[in-house]
mmCIF file of all heavy atoms in Angstrom:
data_model
loop_
_atom_site.group_PDB
_atom_site.id
_atom_site.type_symbol
_atom_site.label_atom_id
_atom_site.label_comp_id
_atom_site.label_asym_id
_atom_site.label_seq_id
_atom_site.Cartn_x
_atom_site.Cartn_y
_atom_site.Cartn_z
ATOM 1 N N GLY A 111 -16.031 6.227 -53.846
ATOM 2 C CA GLY A 111 -16.955 7.354 -54.024
ATOM 3 C C GLY A 111 -18.399 6.894 -54.069
ATOM 4 O O GLY A 111 -18.875 6.208 -53.145
ATOM 5 N N GLY A 112 -19.110 7.204 -55.145
ATOM 6 C CA GLY A 112 -20.535 6.903 -55.265
ATOM 7 C C GLY A 112 -20.855 5.416 -55.321
ATOM 8 O O GLY A 112 -22.008 5.015 -55.176
ATOM 9 N N LYS A 113 -19.835 4.575 -55.527
ATOM 10 C CA LYS A 113 -20.100 3.129 -55.576
ATOM 11 C C LYS A 113 -19.784 2.434 -54.244
ATOM 12 O O LYS A 113 -19.697 1.199 -54.163
ATOM 13 C CB LYS A 113 -19.285 2.489 -56.714
ATOM 14 C CG LYS A 113 -19.793 2.930 -58.090
ATOM 15 C CD LYS A 113 -19.143 2.134 -59.208
ATOM 16 C CE LYS A 113 -19.769 2.502 -60.554
ATOM 17 N NZ LYS A 113 -19.013 1.941 -61.683
ATOM 18 N N LEU A 114 -19.605 3.235 -53.186
ATOM 19 C CA LEU A 114 -19.265 2.687 -51.869
ATOM 20 C C LEU A 114 -20.259 1.620 -51.410
ATOM 21 O O LEU A 114 -19.877 0.651 -50.738
ATOM 22 C CB LEU A 114 -19.208 3.827 -50.836
ATOM 23 C CG LEU A 114 -18.853 3.420 -49.414
ATOM 24 C CD1 LEU A 114 -17.437 2.851 -49.357
ATOM 25 C CD2 LEU A 114 -18.976 4.615 -48.465
ATOM 26 N N GLY A 115 -21.528 1.803 -51.781
ATOM 27 C CA GLY A 115 -22.555 0.859 -51.343
ATOM 28 C C GLY A 115 -22.298 -0.568 -51.798
ATOM 29 O O GLY A 115 -22.820 -1.526 -51.210
ATOM 30 N N GLN A 116 -21.455 -0.740 -52.826
ATOM 31 C CA GLN A 116 -21.153 -2.105 -53.306
ATOM 32 C C GLN A 116 -20.066 -2.811 -52.480
ATOM 33 O O GLN A 116 -19.743 -3.962 -52.734
ATOM 34 C CB GLN A 116 -20.728 -2.050 -54.784
ATOM 35 C CG GLN A 116 -21.904 -1.782 -55.723
ATOM 36 C CD GLN A 116 -21.474 -1.624 -57.176
ATOM 37 O OE1 GLN A 116 -21.511 -0.517 -57.714
ATOM 38 N NE2 GLN A 116 -21.070 -2.706 -57.812
ATOM 39 N N PHE A 117 -19.525 -2.083 -51.489
ATOM 40 C CA PHE A 117 -18.452 -2.663 -50.658
ATOM 41 C C PHE A 117 -18.982 -2.961 -49.255
ATOM 42 O O PHE A 117 -19.402 -2.066 -48.530
ATOM 43 C CB PHE A 117 -17.272 -1.694 -50.575
ATOM 44 C CG PHE A 117 -16.149 -2.202 -49.716
ATOM 45 C CD1 PHE A 117 -15.355 -3.276 -50.123
ATOM 46 C CD2 PHE A 117 -15.882 -1.617 -48.480
ATOM 47 C CE1 PHE A 117 -14.329 -3.759 -49.321
ATOM 48 C CE2 PHE A 117 -14.854 -2.094 -47.681
ATOM 49 C CZ PHE A 117 -14.078 -3.162 -48.096
ATOM 50 N N VAL A 118 -18.931 -4.225 -48.854
ATOM 51 C CA VAL A 118 -19.384 -4.664 -47.522
ATOM 52 C C VAL A 118 -18.157 -5.125 -46.731
ATOM 53 O O VAL A 118 -17.588 -6.170 -47.033
ATOM 54 C CB VAL A 118 -20.390 -5.840 -47.633
ATOM 55 C CG1 VAL A 118 -20.838 -6.278 -46.250
ATOM 56 C CG2 VAL A 118 -21.578 -5.456 -48.504
ATOM 57 N N PRO A 119 -17.727 -4.370 -45.730
ATOM 58 C CA PRO A 119 -16.496 -4.737 -45.002
ATOM 59 C C PRO A 119 -16.715 -5.958 -44.100
ATOM 60 O O PRO A 119 -17.757 -6.088 -43.463
ATOM 61 C CB PRO A 119 -16.193 -3.496 -44.146
ATOM 62 C CG PRO A 119 -17.137 -2.420 -44.615
ATOM 63 C CD PRO A 119 -18.306 -3.106 -45.227
ATOM 64 N N GLY A 120 -15.714 -6.832 -44.051
ATOM 65 C CA GLY A 120 -15.817 -8.036 -43.224
ATOM 66 C C GLY A 120 -14.487 -8.453 -42.639
ATOM 67 O O GLY A 120 -13.424 -7.983 -43.066
ATOM 68 N N HIS A 121 -14.545 -9.345 -41.641
ATOM 69 C CA HIS A 121 -13.320 -9.856 -41.001
ATOM 70 C C HIS A 121 -13.580 -11.236 -40.421
ATOM 71 O O HIS A 121 -14.215 -11.364 -39.380
ATOM 72 C CB HIS A 121 -12.864 -8.869 -39.893
ATOM 73 C CG HIS A 121 -11.705 -9.374 -39.093
ATOM 74 N ND1 HIS A 121 -11.440 -8.943 -37.801
ATOM 75 C CD2 HIS A 121 -10.721 -10.270 -39.389
ATOM 76 C CE1 HIS A 121 -10.360 -9.557 -37.349
ATOM 77 N NE2 HIS A 121 -9.912 -10.361 -38.279
ATOM 78 N N PRO A 122 -13.109 -12.288 -41.097
ATOM 79 C CA PRO A 122 -13.251 -13.647 -40.537
ATOM 80 C C PRO A 122 -12.248 -13.822 -39.393
ATOM 81 O O PRO A 122 -11.068 -13.525 -39.555
ATOM 82 C CB PRO A 122 -12.894 -14.543 -41.721
ATOM 83 C CG PRO A 122 -11.982 -13.709 -42.576
ATOM 84 C CD PRO A 122 -12.400 -12.284 -42.392
ATOM 85 N N ILE A 123 -12.745 -14.320 -38.254
ATOM 86 C CA ILE A 123 -11.882 -14.468 -37.074
ATOM 87 C C ILE A 123 -11.271 -15.866 -37.089
ATOM 88 O O ILE A 123 -11.650 -16.758 -36.320
ATOM 89 C CB ILE A 123 -12.670 -14.254 -35.763
ATOM 90 C CG1 ILE A 123 -13.543 -13.014 -35.861
ATOM 91 C CG2 ILE A 123 -11.709 -14.148 -34.573
ATOM 92 C CD1 ILE A 123 -12.814 -11.755 -36.287
ATOM 93 N N ALA A 124 -10.348 -16.061 -37.988
ATOM 94 C CA ALA A 124 -9.695 -17.356 -38.109
ATOM 95 C C ALA A 124 -8.354 -17.082 -38.755
ATOM 96 O O ALA A 124 -8.196 -16.098 -39.472
ATOM 97 C CB ALA A 124 -10.521 -18.287 -38.985
ATOM 98 N N GLY A 125 -7.419 -17.929 -38.525
ATOM 99 C CA GLY A 125 -6.115 -17.720 -39.125
ATOM 100 C C GLY A 125 -5.155 -18.770 -38.648
ATOM 101 O O GLY A 125 -5.542 -19.773 -38.042
ATOM 102 N N SER A 126 -3.904 -18.521 -38.909
ATOM 103 C CA SER A 126 -2.856 -19.459 -38.577
ATOM 104 C C SER A 126 -1.573 -18.689 -38.809
ATOM 105 O O SER A 126 -1.565 -17.669 -39.494
ATOM 106 C CB SER A 126 -2.944 -20.674 -39.490
ATOM 107 O OG SER A 126 -1.670 -21.240 -39.691
ATOM 108 N N GLU A 127 -0.469 -19.136 -38.206
ATOM 109 C CA GLU A 127 0.777 -18.444 -38.476
ATOM 110 C C GLU A 127 1.372 -18.921 -39.814
ATOM 111 O O GLU A 127 2.370 -18.386 -40.276
ATOM 112 C CB GLU A 127 1.770 -18.583 -37.315
ATOM 113 C CG GLU A 127 2.390 -19.944 -37.144
ATOM 114 C CD GLU A 127 1.487 -20.894 -36.376
ATOM 115 O OE1 GLU A 127 0.254 -20.697 -36.370
ATOM 116 O OE2 GLU A 127 2.009 -21.863 -35.790
ATOM 117 N N SER A 128 0.716 -19.912 -40.459
ATOM 118 C CA SER A 128 1.160 -20.336 -41.782
ATOM 119 C C SER A 128 0.566 -19.427 -42.840
ATOM 120 O O SER A 128 -0.453 -18.798 -42.616
ATOM 121 C CB SER A 128 0.727 -21.777 -42.064
ATOM 122 O OG SER A 128 1.235 -22.622 -41.065
ATOM 123 N N ASN A 129 1.203 -19.410 -43.996
ATOM 124 C CA ASN A 129 0.773 -18.491 -45.033
ATOM 125 C C ASN A 129 0.834 -19.097 -46.413
ATOM 126 O O ASN A 129 1.406 -20.165 -46.611
ATOM 127 C CB ASN A 129 1.656 -17.248 -44.979
ATOM 128 C CG ASN A 129 0.885 -16.111 -44.363
ATOM 129 O OD1 ASN A 129 -0.084 -15.634 -44.949
ATOM 130 N ND2 ASN A 129 1.257 -15.734 -43.159
ATOM 131 N N GLY A 130 0.240 -18.400 -47.377
ATOM 132 C CA GLY A 130 0.339 -18.829 -48.760
ATOM 133 C C GLY A 130 -0.738 -19.827 -49.126
ATOM 134 O O GLY A 130 -1.432 -20.358 -48.263
ATOM 135 N N PRO A 131 -0.877 -20.122 -50.441
ATOM 136 C CA PRO A 131 -1.943 -21.036 -50.898
ATOM 137 C C PRO A 131 -1.809 -22.447 -50.309
ATOM 138 O O PRO A 131 -2.817 -23.122 -50.092
ATOM 139 C CB PRO A 131 -1.772 -21.059 -52.427
ATOM 140 C CG PRO A 131 -0.484 -20.391 -52.734
ATOM 141 C CD PRO A 131 -0.115 -19.533 -51.563
ATOM 142 N N GLU A 132 -0.582 -22.878 -50.040
ATOM 143 C CA GLU A 132 -0.378 -24.220 -49.447
ATOM 144 C C GLU A 132 -1.093 -24.353 -48.105
ATOM 145 O O GLU A 132 -1.454 -25.456 -47.686
ATOM 146 C CB GLU A 132 1.116 -24.478 -49.190
ATOM 147 C CG GLU A 132 2.041 -24.195 -50.336
ATOM 148 C CD GLU A 132 2.105 -25.364 -51.308
ATOM 149 O OE1 GLU A 132 1.546 -26.417 -50.989
ATOM 150 O OE2 GLU A 132 2.705 -25.204 -52.396
ATOM 151 N N ALA A 133 -1.236 -23.221 -47.402
ATOM 152 C CA ALA A 133 -1.837 -23.252 -46.062
ATOM 153 C C ALA A 133 -3.364 -23.215 -46.102
ATOM 154 O O ALA A 133 -4.031 -23.478 -45.099
ATOM 155 C CB ALA A 133 -1.317 -22.083 -45.234
ATOM 156 N N ALA A 134 -3.925 -22.907 -47.285
ATOM 157 C CA ALA A 134 -5.382 -22.770 -47.392
ATOM 158 C C ALA A 134 -6.089 -24.099 -47.146
ATOM 159 O O ALA A 134 -5.585 -25.158 -47.518
ATOM 160 C CB ALA A 134 -5.747 -22.235 -48.781
#
Side-chain angles (χ1 to χ4, degrees):
Chain A
K113 291 189 175 170
L114 181 64
Q116 287 176 251
F117 179 70
V118 180
H121 174 204
I123 314 307
S126 150
E127 72 278 24
S128 303
N129 255 293
E132 311 277 352

